Amino acid sequence: MKIDFTKNADGLVPAIIQDAKTKNVLMLGYMNQEALDATQATKKVTFFSRSKKRLWTKGEESGNYLELVSIKNDCDQDSLLVTTNPVGPTCHKGTDTCWAEENIQGYGFLSTLEKIITSRKEDTENTDSYITSLFKKGINKIAQKVGEEAVETVIEAKDDNADLFLNESADLLFHYLILLQAKGYQLNDIVEVLKNRH
C-alpha cells in the first residue's frame, strides 16, 4: 500500500475510523508513517497526536482500544479508511462515536422493529398489543403464523399484484422476527450464519 505523506506540510494523512461490523464512522484521526507502522505491528490503531506531538494509541489510557481489521487508502493515496473492532466507546467523552451517536449493529427500521418486539415480549401485561398476545399464545402459534404468511407470500408471488406481494412479504418478515425472538435469537444471529456461509 503506497501512501503519499508528502501532500500535507505536516506529513500527516487523515484516517477515517469505521466500525467493521456496523460500518458506522467512529472518529477521525491523523497518521504519519510511524503511526501507520505501529498500527500494523500492534493491531491497535495508533495516531500521531497533533496536540501531544507524539504517537498516541487510542485506548492507551482508557483501555478503549480500536482493534485493527483493515486499512485502505483512497484513490489519491492521501487518506486512509481504517476498519476496526472498537473495545468500548471511541470518544474521549464516553460516547460511541465522536459525533455522540450510538454505534449499534443496525439494520435500519428492522432494528427499530426488533426493539419494539422485544419491549412487547417483556410487557406481558399489555392486553392491546398483537405482539404480546402472540407471545402469550406460545411458540406453536407464532410458528403457525410464519407458515401462514409464507404460504400467502408464495401465492402472491405467482400473481402480478405488486402491492399484495409486498404486503404479504412484510407480514412474513414481521412474524419471522417475532419467531426469532420467541426462540431467543435476533436478526443479527441469522446474518452471522449467512456471513459464515459466504
Side-chain angles (χ1 to χ4, degrees), residues 135-181:
F135 280 116
K136 284 181 179 178
K137 289 175 184 172
I139 190 74
N140 289 344
K141 182 62 176 174
I142 296 169
Q144 178 187 341
K145 284 299 295 179
V146 172
E148 290 170 6
E149 299 302 341
V151 169
E152 291 171 8
T153 301
V154 169
I155 291 169
E156 294 305 332
K158 297 177 142 222
D159 291 334
D160 291 327
N161 188 323
D163 187 53
L164 287 175
F165 172 70
L166 291 175
N167 274 284
E168 291 301 341
S169 297
D171 287 345
L172 174 59
L173 182 54
F174 171 70
H175 286 92
Y176 179 65
L177 291 174
I178 294 171
L179 179 62
L180 279 176
Q181 290 204 32

Side-chain angles (χ1 to χ4, degrees), residues 10-120:
D10 57 10
L12 301 176
V13 297
I16 300 161
I17 309 303
Q18 181 184 48
D19 187 299
K21 292 178 184 157
T22 67
K23 305 304 180 194
N24 292 329
V25 174
L26 303 177
M27 66 173 289
L28 172 70
Y30 293 89
M31 289 186 178
N32 58 11
Q33 183 67 59
E34 193 179 0
L36 177 63
D37 293 343
T39 297
Q40 290 173 319
T42 65
K43 304 300 182 202
K44 290 188 170 91
V45 178
T46 300
F47 302 100
F48 183 83
S49 171
R50 295 174 299 166
S51 59
K52 299 173 183 176
K53 305 291 186 206
R54 66 170 177 83
L55 290 187
W56 165 67
T57 300
K58 173 71 184 84
E60 65 186 25
E61 293 175 10
S62 66
N64 297 329
Y65 294 103
L66 295 169
E67 296 175 347
L68 179 66
V69 174
S70 69
I71 301 176
K72 297 177 186 174
N73 57 343
D74 75 345
C75 56
D76 293 325
Q77 300 176 333
D78 61 358
S79 69
L80 300 170
L81 177 62
V82 183
T83 57
T84 69
N85 289 321
V87 178
T90 297
C91 184
H92 69 284
K93 293 186 174 181
T95 56
D96 288 347
T97 77
C98 288
W99 293 271
E101 296 175 336
E102 277 189 278
N103 181 32
I104 56 173
Q105 179 76 32
Y107 303 103
F109 177 72
L110 291 180
S111 295
T112 302
L113 188 54
E114 276 195 317
K115 287 181 183 178
I116 293 169
I117 292 168
T118 300
S119 71
R120 297 293 196 276

